[in-house]
Amino acid sequence: MSKDRNVKVSIENLSTAFEIMGSHYKAVDDVTFDLYDGEMFAIVGESGCGKSALALSIMGLHDDSVKIEGSINYKEKDLNKMNKEERRKIRGFDFGMIFQEPLTALNPLVRVGEQIKEVLSIHTSLSDSEKNNKVLDLLDEVGIPNKEVVVKKYPHELSGGMRQRIVIAIALACDPDVIIADEPTTALDVTIQAQILKLIDNLRIKQNTSTILITHDLGVVAEVADRVAVMYAGQIVEMGTIDDIFDNPMHPYTISLLRSIPNSDNNNKKLYVIDGIVPSLQNIDRTGCRFSERIKGHDDSIHEENPQLREVEEGHFVRCTCYKEFDIEKSQEV
């Protein structure tokens, strides 16, 4: 991604801490990145690495018990310094979100057309007839047939793919500058997944919407992303263009993720298994390389005491110097 592209959103030193047994633990820990105009920026990692917590922090959807530090800069304003009413005006209008569970995101007692209209009622001054027309236009945009019939249905009367399209229509209702798609293809079959991803990408290109795609599926990322941030235990451990991450991965975690996925390039290699699990919030070692305990066959001396995210090539950032010594074949032999 060219550095001369306009920055849509600039996130600086963002941390999100949840209260557990009277103490706060950071699920998102000092995350910094820029989202460029019209790009698809993917955030990947295992479940529990902080991806969704980051998305909800950007949207301002955490409750008051969650401590959020750092800045989210948009149109020369820091969203984290806004009060709840100011943030609500931004959310749904400038920022839209596609949630991963449409049955949870949608109200089961309200017809889907009314749920789309609600967003328009909150953020626009359209007349009722204009809102009705806009709802039908949005259903067209997201590829829903028989829109006059579907608009009167309840969520449970629609398929998973149709419900997800309704959630996308709600997110797009006010033509936002930024869309955050949090695992938008969860629980959908492979064919529908491909359709939903293609839809999100086509709408991004058509409307020049900057999109943050949260996912654990590297196959999805390879299809649609411009740049990628790989998260582990609340931190970004590697960030770069799609070519950087897939053709020249450096951090041991990124390399391990790629080698643990079956593909044609790995046909003659033993499928790699990442040892251990992502640590719980209370058990994350806040000093040293957080991935070190899951690297086998390497001496602890390869890690920094206080790993920083550094630019090792233009636009390619890696945390911890352990990438210089990591050998996945050596790790696999142990």
Side-chain angles (χ1 to χ4, degrees), residues 145-162:
N146 303 319
K147 56 188 179 183
E148 290 84 1
V149 175
V150 171
V151 77
K152 298 176 183 178
K153 289 187 177 293
Y154 292 93
H156 73 271
E157 297 180 288
L158 303 175
S159 67
M162 291 280 274

Side-chain angles (χ1 to χ4, degrees), residues 305-324:
E305 291 184 9
N306 183 29
Q308 302 297 311
L309 192 65
R310 298 185 180 90
E311 189 172 24
V312 295
E313 300 173 341
E314 184 176 2
H316 191 176
F317 298 81
V318 184
R319 186 181 299 275
C320 189
T321 53
C322 61
Y323 76 90
K324 297 179 180 179

Side-chain angles (χ1 to χ4, degrees), residues 148-256:
E148 290 84 1
V149 175
V150 171
V151 77
K152 298 176 183 178
K153 289 187 177 293
Y154 292 93
H156 73 271
E157 297 180 288
L158 303 175
S159 67
M162 291 280 274
R163 286 194 293 265
Q164 192 61 284
R165 289 171 189 269
I166 296 295
V167 171
I168 294 171
I170 292 172
L172 294 173
C174 295
D175 300 317
D177 281 343
V178 178
I179 288 285
I180 300 177
D182 185 11
E183 301 277 9
T185 58
T186 296
L188 299 177
D189 65 53
V190 175
T191 302
I192 303 301
Q193 284 184 24
Q195 292 175 5
I196 294 297
L197 287 169
K198 188 66 174 176
L199 171 62
I200 293 170
D201 199 36
N202 286 344
L203 292 170
R204 172 188 67 87
I205 294 168
K206 181 179 178 181
Q207 301 181 13
N208 198 38
T209 304
S210 301
T211 303
I212 298 175
L213 175 64
I214 309 288
T215 183
H216 64 273
D217 190 335
L218 286 166
V220 166
V221 172
E223 290 291 325
V224 298
D226 297 306
R227 287 190 304 140
V228 185
V230 180
M231 281 191 74
Y232 182 77
Q235 296 180 322
I236 291 178
V237 296
E238 186 163 2
M239 181 167 61
T241 66
I242 194 73
D243 291 336
D244 290 334
I245 300 303
F246 281 85
D247 295 339
N248 186 30
M250 292 187 176
H251 193 277
Y253 182 56
T254 310
I255 295 170
S256 300

Side-chain angles (χ1 to χ4, degrees), residues 28 229 267:
V28 177
N267 276 344

Side-chain angles (χ1 to χ4, degrees), residues 102-115:
L103 263 183
T104 304
L106 296 171
N107 188 330
L109 303 178
V110 179
R111 299 179 196 274
V112 295
E114 291 301 314
Q115 297 192 54

